[in-house]
Amino acid sequence: MTSHAKLTPSQTIGPFYWGTLVNAYRCDLAPPGVAGERIDLALTLHDVQGALVPDGMIEIWQANSHGRYNHPDDRRNLPLDAGFEGFGRASTDREGCARFSTVKPGRVPWPHGDGVGGLQAPHVNISVFARGVLNRLATRLYFDGDPALPEDPVLKMVEPARRDTLIAKRDGAGLWHLPIRLGGPAETVFFDV
């Protein structure tokens, strides 16, 4: 008697997860009383052809306005804000946009033992999940005009011509916009983390 078992092929996340993921959405990261400058983010997701992706999911992770992560590994003597976890998750809407309300993050140290040292510019870490994407894509959002951008050790590693794909622009209403492009000539810089 022989067995003819077949392996199940890998596939992107299925619709059976959708209800669980949607119920875990948290797009307002900063409840009243959290210190710092309140900001709103609009992250639009575009596929390789430039079309908007209405069924993607974006997660963000950031430090609080004091530059401290709400994580056990961040033991620096900086304040933590009650109710601020620094994590958010939202799906993209019909216009391919995921929105978050939070506070502008403070600067965090460059922790790597490569001798570079220094502080990173305020940034938001982003994870992208979408159809056709088997593993999360990791990128960052920086803030246009921030004086710390030229000294950010991560941004310095990015080819100068591509840095703009990581820098959000603020509109007249104060909303920070960042298009995230999954491919094409203006593809967003993604990091291997």
Side-chain angles (χ1 to χ4, degrees), residues 39-105:
I39 59 171
D40 292 310
L41 307 174
L43 311 177
T44 53
L45 191 56
H46 304 261
D47 68 14
V48 174
Q49 285 79 35
L52 294 168
V53 178
D55 55 355
M57 184 178 71
I58 296 177
E59 292 178 347
I60 65 172
W61 168 247
Q62 68 170 82
N64 66 13
S65 65
H66 307 288
R68 184 168 177 193
Y69 286 100
N70 186 357
H71 191 277
D73 287 345
D74 191 344
R75 296 185 187 106
R76 293 173 297 135
N77 189 22
L78 295 170
L80 282 174
D81 295 299
F84 185 80
E85 295 176 9
F87 174 80
R89 176 185 291 151
S91 64
T92 56
D93 60 19
R94 282 187 267 198
E95 288 78 41
C97 186
R99 294 178 181 263
F100 297 92
S101 179
T102 186
V103 293
K104 187 172 182 185

Side-chain angles (χ1 to χ4, degrees), residues 19-183:
T20 303
L21 292 173
V22 169
N23 291 334
Y25 280 8
R26 183 171 178 189
C27 55
D28 186 358
L29 283 66
V34 170
E37 174 191 349
R38 289 198 65 90
I39 59 171
D40 292 310
L41 307 174
L43 311 177
T44 53
L45 191 56
H46 304 261
D47 68 14
V48 174
Q49 285 79 35
L52 294 168
V53 178
D55 55 355
M57 184 178 71
I58 296 177
E59 292 178 347
I60 65 172
W61 168 247
Q62 68 170 82
N64 66 13
S65 65
H66 307 288
R68 184 168 177 193
Y69 286 100
N70 186 357
H71 191 277
D73 287 345
D74 191 344
R75 296 185 187 106
R76 293 173 297 135
N77 189 22
L78 295 170
L80 282 174
D81 295 299
F84 185 80
E85 295 176 9
F87 174 80
R89 176 185 291 151
S91 64
T92 56
D93 60 19
R94 282 187 267 198
E95 288 78 41
C97 186
R99 294 178 181 263
F100 297 92
S101 179
T102 186
V103 293
K104 187 172 182 185
R107 298 181 73 182
V108 296
W110 177 245
H112 299 288
D114 57 8
V116 175
L119 292 173
Q120 299 176 60
H123 66 276
V124 175
N125 299 297
I126 299 172
S127 293
V128 177
F129 303 88
R131 57 184 141 89
V133 176
L134 296 177
N135 297 307
R136 80 176 173 104
L137 297 173
T139 190
R140 285 183 164 199
L141 175 153
Y142 290 95
F143 300 91
D144 186 39
D146 192 296
L149 290 177
E151 61 192 65
D152 183 87
V154 175
L155 204 51
K156 283 184 194 179
M157 289 190 278
V158 175
E159 182 182 323
R162 298 199 58 217
R163 290 178 187 163
D164 208 39
T165 68
L166 303 174
I167 300 175
K169 309 283 192 260
R170 195 173 199 173
D171 68 16
L175 182 64
W176 289 95
H177 293 271
L178 182 70
I180 300 171
R181 301 181 196 293
L182 300 176

